[in-house]
Amino acid sequence: MIGSIIGDIVGSVFEHRNIKITDFKLFNFGARFTDDTVLTIAIADAILNNLPYDLALREWGQKYPGRGYGNHFDIWLYSEDPRPYNSWGNGSGMRVSPIGFAFNDLGKVLEASKKSAEVTHNHPEGIKGAQAIASAVFLARTGNSKEEIRDFITNSFGYNLMRTVEEIRPHYKFDISCQGSVPEAIICFLDSSDFEDCIRLSISIGGDSDTIACMAGGIAQAYYQTMPSEIVNTAREKLPTEMITVLDEFEGIYGIS
């Protein structure tokens, strides 16, 4: 899941900037992990320790306040009686990549990603976004081609994946909805030639850059299975020790370091 975290950190300084280019410094001054990383780590922790998803999300979110959480999630995070709030936002998709790595059956991936989403994002689009990203990660790591991944996501979730990054980039604007960012993130992966290219394409379309790159980065890690060591090491240096501990344990069991 380090691929998702890399995307988040790289994208953290480009949100709202709409740079619309792929030639940029990957780790700019001020690049840091955001809520995308915190909650991805939380889902991994839940899987590793058999914790309820809502409990893990609240524990990690409260440890790292002020990391860019949405208003409704922030209220949920500290509520005495936390309940799902019918969100269709892409928060469900940004945190779900560990599920695509951890489960070895597509049906279980779909079931687990639904459960991880609906503790907050119980709107059908919020659930669908999480399931699409998790299943793309699963299909990518289990040897499916890009065309097979495209076909499954299109047929299962109805997203239009027949567009290209070049077609999306000129007119794409900030959109935090699953329906307005999950298919774009998947297209950035589908159009990419390697892991780094995927991250660069994800930033280049603009909008919610950290989350788009986070979602695409998880799929790209699963598919390409190799990432430049300098990119991985730079991202790891920006994480606190307790996150590195979860990351290493998770990737030692389920993933690709």
Side-chain angles (χ1 to χ4, degrees):
M1 63 179 175
I2 187 65
S4 297
I5 293 170
I6 292 168
D8 173 44
I9 294 172
V10 171
S12 64
V13 296
F14 291 108
E15 190 172 19
H16 294 291
R17 287 181 58 187
N18 292 314
I19 62 170
K20 304 293 184 178
I21 58 173
T22 57
D23 184 14
F24 56 83
K25 183 179 179 182
L26 279 180
F27 293 96
N28 280 269
F29 177 78
R32 64 172 198 154
F33 69 87
T34 77
D35 57 329
D36 302 50
T37 291
V38 176
L39 302 184
T40 297
I41 291 288
I43 295 296
D45 189 27
I47 293 168
L48 287 169
N49 294 294
N50 197 29
L51 301 173
Y53 292 118
D54 56 346
L55 176 63
L57 290 167
R58 282 165 59 84
E59 285 184 351
W60 282 93
Q62 290 175 18
K63 281 183 184 180
Y64 294 93
R67 287 284 166 170
Y69 307 102
N71 291 335
H72 288 99
F73 183 87
D74 216 27
I75 293 169
W76 178 87
L77 199 56
Y78 296 97
S79 172
E80 293 183 2
D81 184 25
R83 297 176 182 270
Y85 45 89
N86 200 39
S87 177
W88 35 252
N90 56 21
S92 60
M94 74 186 191
R95 67 197 189 205
V96 80
S97 65
I99 289 173
F101 282 105
F103 293 87
N104 288 321
D105 175 85
L106 182 55
K108 291 180 179 178
V109 169
L110 293 170
E111 178 185 1
S113 54
K114 180 177 185 291
K115 288 181 178 178
S116 77
E118 63 189 4
V119 297
T120 51
H121 293 56
N122 58 329
H123 188 283
E125 292 292 347
I127 294 170
K128 185 167 77 171
Q131 289 182 315
I133 295 297
S135 58
V137 170
F138 171 82
L139 293 170
R141 77 171 178 85
T142 53
N144 290 272
S145 69
K146 288 185 176 182
E147 282 307 309
E148 288 170 328
I149 296 170
R150 188 196 310 270
D151 288 346
F152 177 84
I153 300 298
T154 299
N155 294 332
S156 299
F157 305 107
Y159 290 143
N160 177 12
L161 301 184
M162 296 309 295
R163 299 166 292 154
T164 66
V165 170
E166 293 294 328
E167 292 169 336
I168 293 168
R169 185 184 292 123
H171 309 292
Y172 189 70
K173 297 179 180 178
F174 190 84
D175 190 333
I176 63 167
S177 70
C178 276
Q179 56 270 40
S181 61
V182 168
E184 284 74 16
I186 296 172
I187 289 168
C188 288
F189 155 68
L190 292 171
D191 276 11
S192 65
S193 58
D194 55 35
F195 177 80
E196 182 176 341
D197 186 50
C198 176
I199 300 301
R200 292 185 179 279
L201 289 176
S202 300
I203 303 302
S204 78
I205 67 172
D208 192 5
S209 299
D210 57 337
T211 298
I212 293 171
C214 176
M215 294 188 291
I219 307 169
Q221 177 189 359
Y223 184 81
Y224 295 115
Q225 300 193 9
T226 57
M227 298 167 287
S229 58
E230 63 271 21
I231 294 177
V232 173
N233 292 338
T234 300
R236 287 173 59 92
E237 288 168 2
K238 295 181 179 295
L239 300 177
T241 301
E242 63 179 351
M243 287 190 183
I244 291 291
T245 298
V246 173
L247 177 64
D248 286 348
E249 183 179 355
F250 186 89
E251 295 208 327
I253 298 171
Y254 302 113
I256 316 150
S257 60

